[in-house]
Amino acid sequence: MIQTTVCRSGPRKIALVGNHLPRQCGIATFTSDLLNALAEEGHDMECWAVVMNDVPEGYRYPAQVRFELNHKILSDYRLAADFLNMNQVDVVCLQHEFGIFGGDNGSHIIEFLSNLRMPVVTTLHTVLQNPTRGQSAVLKRIAQLSDRMIVMSDRGKEILREVYSIQEEKLLKIHHGIPDVPFVDPNYYKDQFGVEGRKVVLTFGLLSPGKGIEYMIDALPHVVENHPEVVYIVLGATHPHVKKEQGEAYRFSLQQRARELGVDQHLLFHNRFVDLKELCEFLGAADIYVTPYLKREQIVSGTLAYALGTGKATISTPYWYAEEMLGNGRGRIVPFEDPEALAAQVNDLFAHEVERHAMRKRAYTYCRQMVWKEVARSYLEVFKNVKQERESRPRAVFKAKTMEAVPREMPQPKLDHLIRLTDDVGILQHAKFMVPDRHHGYCTDDNARALIAVLMAQDIIHDSERITDLACTYVSFLHHAFNESTGRFRNFMGYDRRWVEEEGSQDSHGRAIWGLGEGIALSRSDHLTGAALSVFEKALPALLQFTAPRAWAFGLVGIHAYLRKFSGDSEVRRAREKLANRLFTLYQDCATDDWPWIEDTLTYANGKIPQALILSGQWLQRGDMLDAGLRSLEWLMYIQTDPKGHFVPIGNHGWYPRGGERARFDQQPIEALGMIEACREAYNVTKDDKWISHAQRCLDWFLGRNDLQTPLYDYLTGGCCDGLNADGSNRNQGAESTLAWILSLLHLHQLRAMQVSAETAGNIDLQTCEKEAVRSGDPAAGIVPIRGRKNV
């Protein structure tokens, strides 16, 4: 047990990081309750919260919430760390759950922790026994950056030691907190809820399919048969994320189940999120509390802790936390998905009142150590210890990070101009300044790019309904563009909704496959995926008959995206291999040391060629193909970088023939995008930071670091100028240029997130090798070269 003496000489400023009420989730409730308990026990201490927002408008937080961040935006995590550092917070207490932070496996939180100057105490609300490699790397890195790791069960400590190799001295168990309420007779509150004279079974918490409530409903007929006065109360709103995706489908399915079983008169649903006072009254009215959860790997349950803390006779399935908490006669365990066992235990407890009340008393007595006052005191003792430990070490002089030491700031993506250009048909091709120009209608090329853009944006922009509506519009356009009789896409449509051609170019067909493949990979909707899939499959055969290498390259990128989701599709895999070999053969036939290219002239969409070769070389395990992609990309970056250091895409007034003079203008936004996408794949394969620097150089071209020192991105409209001419920018903001900007920016944001994840994994690999070196007695064994980064 942790010493519970209240510390008076400990930290003066504490910040809790996680979620907070009125956001509806378990961590929000826990953080709010812990913060209030710390404030009460800490007396003169300042206690406040830093919170993650999962909706753009945020929430109406109380005054103790001092800083809000968009959980999807990496730069917000650095700003939050700066805020805490500048406010001289003494200790940060992180509430960790993978799903509440942005990035792969919640890796954005690493950026936050890495920039803090004060001790960190991390409370783990999830501990996975079988994590993915990414989840393991993130949690191990959090452990490295934390002074203490707090779990709420002994099983959690055991898993952290055995699975994650975290040192015992860093691990602590502090119980989940509970309100301090009196031990009351359940009949006291029953009249308040209209169930006086009835036997009450209760389940509460945010509803989601994993709760297993259907099994308690299945058990009700057997209970009612023995205790006809029983009523089962299901208390709680549907989880906001579940409701957003599935509506009330789970709740409705439960209600329908009850009707079919003839127990609807024994079931009460209270579909709302209740405050603490009302929750305690509901618990007070319950005779038996049930948690029929479906997954064993649940390391903590606030609802179970609250039920035991109010002295409820409890029946539960054998998830880890329940097995630990219900030991020694404090509750009953039944198998998963077993309504007969549930009914038997409920009937037994109702039939044996003395045993039921003895169980209640054992649970209530055990949980006195878990009241928030005691939990807060334990946390304060930990905070005091980590602060003293940090102060006892040699103190490094703090130096503010200059621009060189921090990632370059980037604008946040905005879809305003994309939305402006989009009507119920699709996205219009052109604009006069920012005003959509209807004279030129629509094209398949732009709608394919737009589909990719909006689905990539869902990782940063919260407006999922708008994203879905836009994606449906673009998929619908591509669906209509496909000509079933020819197996080809039409490209240009007039504003009158009439196609101006029966068959588009090979390049436009390749771009459509690119857009559909990415759409299939990125979509989170089965409806969107299904619609895109049907066209993708029909359009693929024509690609194999093409002769245009850029059409192959666009198609290959789309095929690789498709295979991210459906990797076992042998027909598509064979198509990938055929197209990749054709493209590589062109490279082999034409490339020389000073001209590593597929043709004798550099023209348009140049970045797509190395991107396709890099992807194909990686996934076909063809080192020669991969090397060709990296070599050609490096050469492209070299010849398109001015001696002054800025990006200069090949101009479309003459292109660049081998041995000839390259055209300086006109420079097109789509070329910068192509290079950024290729650099992203190069970084993904090599983890060499130079590719991020190259990609940033291309993004800077949009922002004014170009030949004319003229920004092409318009912060006000969200659009992008149509190109850079010798006499200035083309101020029309059409679809191609605007989409090139949006996609470029989204790729840079994802590249930064990938870099954080790679550094997280690199730190863990380095730590592992250092441990091996210590065990082997060979200091040299601990030196690990990480590709593209200086050896540590």
Side-chain angles (χ1 to χ4, degrees):
M1 284 293 297
I2 294 170
Q3 176 60 251
T4 58
T5 304
V6 179
C7 73
R8 304 295 181 187
S9 58
R12 303 316 253 168
K13 282 187 181 180
I14 295 170
L16 270 61
V17 179
N19 299 335
H20 196 285
L21 295 174
R23 180 173 173 178
Q24 295 181 9
C25 73
I27 292 181
T29 301
F30 181 93
T31 305
S32 304
D33 289 344
L34 178 58
L35 190 64
N36 291 334
L38 290 171
E40 288 182 11
E41 291 302 308
H43 302 287
D44 296 331
M45 265 187 343
E46 289 185 45
C47 298
W48 31 274
V50 172
V51 298
M52 311 292 134
N53 280 334
D54 62 341
V55 292
E57 65 274 16
Y59 299 89
R60 294 179 65 85
Y61 292 114
Q64 59 262 39
V65 173
R66 291 283 303 278
F67 194 93
E68 303 172 41
L69 59 131
N70 182 331
H71 78 287
K72 294 185 175 183
I73 297 177
L74 182 61
S75 59
D76 276 14
Y77 290 80
R78 290 191 293 274
L79 292 174
D82 290 344
F83 178 80
L84 297 181
N85 290 334
M86 291 176 185
N87 278 276
Q88 298 183 318
V89 169
D90 292 309
V91 177
V92 165
C93 184
L94 173 69
Q95 307 305 310
H96 182 265
E97 157 66 54
F98 287 106
I100 69 172
F101 306 113
D104 292 341
N105 306 300
S107 60
H108 282 4
I109 197 63
I110 303 299
E111 185 74 7
F112 169 76
L113 296 175
S114 300
N115 284 282
L116 292 176
R117 302 203 305 266
M118 69 289 294
V120 174
V121 175
T122 295
T123 301
L124 298 176
H125 293 260
T126 296
V127 181
L128 301 174
Q129 188 170 36
N130 298 298
T132 64
R133 186 174 186 276
Q135 290 168 336
S136 177
V138 168
L139 191 57
K140 286 180 178 179
R141 184 62 178 145
I142 291 171
Q144 287 179 354
L145 296 169
S146 301
D147 296 77
R148 294 289 190 279
M149 303 282 280
I150 292 175
V151 291
M152 302 178 222
S153 66
D154 292 324
R155 183 63 178 268
K157 288 181 67 176
E158 177 185 327
I159 294 172
L160 290 174
R161 285 193 307 268
E162 295 179 359
V163 177
Y164 299 89
S165 303
I166 298 174
Q167 314 93 296
E168 173 70 32
E169 59 270 20
K170 188 171 273 193
L171 303 177
L172 294 170
K173 173 187 170 183
I174 299 179
H175 280 290
H176 191 296
I178 59 170
D180 192 359
V181 297
F183 187 76
V184 298
D185 185 328
N187 293 311
Y188 181 80
Y189 286 110
K190 287 184 178 180
D191 62 333
Q192 185 172 327
F193 301 108
V195 291
E196 191 171 13
R198 304 191 71 173
K199 294 176 178 177
V200 177
V201 179
L202 174 70
T203 296
F204 85 88
L206 294 171
L207 254 65
S208 64
K211 299 294 185 181
I213 292 170
E214 59 269 29
Y215 293 100
M216 185 58 223
I217 293 175
D218 288 346
L220 271 181
H222 304 290
V223 176
V224 170
E225 185 179 344
N226 291 277
H227 304 281
E229 71 278 23
V230 77
V231 62
Y232 179 36
I233 297 177
V234 179
L235 171 65
T238 299
H239 195 290
H241 291 172
V242 173
K243 189 173 182 178
K244 191 174 185 179
E245 295 177 3
Q246 304 172 17
E248 294 287 0
Y250 180 58
R251 185 185 301 275
F252 294 159
S253 73
L254 297 176
Q255 293 171 349
Q256 181 61 30
R257 201 180 195 111
R259 293 187 186 99
E260 291 172 355
L261 292 171
V263 293
D264 47 319
Q265 71 270 35
H266 297 275
L267 190 60
L268 290 174
F269 279 92
H270 288 275
N271 183 9
R272 54 201 174 88
F273 189 84
V274 297
D275 62 22
L276 179 61
K277 178 178 179 295
E278 191 175 10
L279 172 59
C280 290
E281 290 169 351
F282 266 105
L283 281 166
D287 296 288
I288 295 175
Y289 183 74
V290 176
T291 60
Y293 298 165
L294 303 181
K295 292 184 178 179
R296 182 177 297 277
E297 298 80 14
Q298 185 160 338
I299 206 69
V300 67
S301 168
T303 62
L304 179 60
Y306 274 42
L308 293 172
T310 53
K312 297 295 103 181
T314 300
I315 302 169
S316 176
T317 50
Y319 56 92
W320 290 334
Y321 188 66
E323 286 183 316
E324 195 166 310
M325 292 297 293
L326 299 185
N328 298 321
R330 294 188 293 271
R332 301 266 181 96
I333 295 289
V334 297
F336 292 108
E337 303 179 9
D338 191 337
E340 290 79 11
L342 269 171
Q345 291 298 333
V346 171
N347 284 329
D348 187 70
L349 285 176
F350 278 142
H352 298 90
E353 187 172 355
V354 173
E355 168 55 22
R356 186 172 81 247
H357 288 302
M359 180 188 293
R360 292 180 58 222
K361 189 172 182 180
R362 286 191 290 269
Y364 184 83
T365 303
Y366 176 80
C367 289
R368 292 312 87 205
Q369 62 184 319
M370 296 168 56
V371 296
W372 278 115
K373 176 190 290 187
E374 297 300 325
V375 168
R377 289 177 174 179
S378 295
Y379 271 91
L380 288 171
E381 188 68 20
V382 176
F383 297 159
K384 174 185 173 183
N385 291 340
V386 296
K387 182 173 183 287
Q388 289 176 347
E389 289 171 10
R390 184 68 64 93
E391 289 171 347
S392 67
R393 302 175 195 162
R395 198 163 192 173
V397 177
F398 168 66
K399 293 183 179 180
K401 291 184 177 180
T402 61
M403 286 176 56
E404 182 185 26
V406 297
R408 193 170 303 189
E409 291 187 39
M410 295 181 288
Q412 290 305 314
K414 57 187 294 187
L415 302 183
D416 300 39
H417 194 54
L418 180 147
I419 293 168
R420 189 178 296 120
L421 289 170
T422 300
D423 61 16
D424 62 332
V425 175
I427 189 167
L428 288 157
Q429 286 189 76
H430 295 294
K432 291 292 185 184
F433 295 89
M434 65 175 282
V435 180
D437 183 353
R438 301 178 181 180
H439 288 94
H440 302 282
Y442 317 84
C443 72
T444 293
D445 290 333
D446 290 336
N447 280 275
R449 296 185 190 103
L451 175 61
I452 301 170
V454 296
L455 291 179
M456 283 184 67
Q458 65 189 338
D459 285 330
I460 295 179
I461 295 172
H462 286 299
D463 194 350
S464 61
E465 290 185 14
R466 175 58 66 88
I467 293 287
T468 300
D469 288 346
L470 289 168
C472 284
T473 297
Y474 305 137
V475 170
S476 177
F477 187 96
L478 294 174
H479 198 278
H480 186 48
F482 186 71
N483 189 334
E484 298 271 358
S485 62
T486 64
R488 294 283 299 275
F489 285 97
R490 294 164 285 213
N491 193 17
F492 297 109
M493 174 191 276
Y495 189 69
D496 60 1
R497 302 192 181 194
R498 294 181 182 178
W499 292 105
V500 300
E501 60 191 1
E502 287 304 306
E503 188 175 287
S505 68
Q506 292 186 9
D507 282 359
S508 68
H509 192 101
R511 289 190 189 98
I513 288 178
W514 169 40
L516 290 166
E518 291 284 4
I520 291 165
L522 296 168
S523 173
R524 296 170 187 168
S525 161
D526 290 342
H527 300 286
L528 273 174
T529 300
L533 187 62
S534 66
V535 190
F536 180 90
E537 291 174 340
K538 294 175 185 177
L540 191 60
L543 186 64
L544 295 171
Q545 309 305 316
F546 291 169
T547 57
R550 282 162 186 78
W552 300 342
F554 282 118
L556 277 167
V557 175
I559 285 170
H560 281 287
Y562 168 87
L563 290 171
R564 292 205 307 266
K565 182 164 280 191
F566 299 108
S567 60
D569 191 327
S570 300
E571 184 177 351
V572 176
R573 289 160 68 99
R574 285 190 289 270
R576 171 178 65 182
E577 187 168 7
K578 289 177 183 177
L579 292 170
N581 284 330
R582 289 180 197 172
L583 192 61
F584 184 53
T585 298
L586 279 184
Y587 178 87
Q588 289 177 308
D589 291 346
C590 188
T592 60
D593 288 344
D594 62 346
W595 189 267
W597 196 237
I598 64 167
E599 300 165 324
D600 288 329
T601 302
L602 268 175
T603 55
Y604 63 95
N606 295 314
K608 267 291 175 284
I609 303 299
Q611 182 187 6
L613 288 172
I614 291 167
L615 279 166
S616 301
Q618 178 187 9
W619 293 106
L620 294 175
Q621 298 183 2
R622 287 282 300 276
D624 53 350
M625 196 178 287
L626 175 59
D627 289 343
L630 293 171
R631 172 75 183 94
S632 60
L633 179 59
E634 187 127 34
W635 176 71
L636 280 177
M637 205 66 234
Y638 173 74
I639 65 171
Q640 294 184 109
T641 300
D642 187 85
K644 295 179 181 177
H646 61 267
F647 177 63
V648 185
I650 302 297
N652 63 11
H653 285 176
W655 307 118
Y656 183 18
R658 192 199 303 238
E661 185 175 345
R662 59 165 289 177
R664 196 80 177 189
F665 296 100
D666 292 345
Q667 300 174 18
Q668 299 299 311
I670 203 70
E671 299 305 316
L673 168 62
M675 293 298 293
I676 288 170
E677 290 174 322
C679 287
R680 173 178 172 166
E681 295 306 333
Y683 176 76
N684 190 43
V685 170
T686 67
K687 297 299 182 283
D688 190 330
D689 283 354
K690 74 178 181 183
W691 298 113
I692 295 181
S693 299
H694 289 330
Q696 183 69 56
R697 183 178 294 114
C698 296
L699 187 78
D700 289 346
W701 178 85
F702 290 96
L703 301 173
R705 192 179 175 212
N706 51 47
D707 277 344
L708 303 184
Q709 300 295 299
T710 299
L712 283 82
Y713 171 55
D714 187 329
Y715 283 87
L716 179 63
T717 68
C720 177
C721 296
D722 277 349
L724 196 66
N725 307 331
D727 57 353
S729 62
N730 179 340
R731 295 188 62 195
N732 294 330
Q733 298 177 6
E736 180 183 284
S737 55
T738 295
L739 288 164
W741 158 254
I742 293 171
L743 285 165
S744 296
L745 184 60
L746 290 168
H747 279 294
L748 256 295
H749 277 280
Q750 291 190 1
L751 260 174
R752 293 296 183 193
M754 289 165 63
Q755 186 181 33
V756 170
S757 295
E759 289 175 349
T760 298
N763 277 311
I764 297 305
D765 291 343
L766 179 62
Q767 183 190 50
T768 301
C769 289
E770 286 172 344
K771 288 180 179 178
E772 290 297 327
V774 171
R775 281 197 287 266
S776 66
D778 178 11
I783 301 175
V784 185
I786 301 174
R787 265 187 301 181
R789 302 186 66 80
K790 293 181 179 178
N791 293 345
V792 180

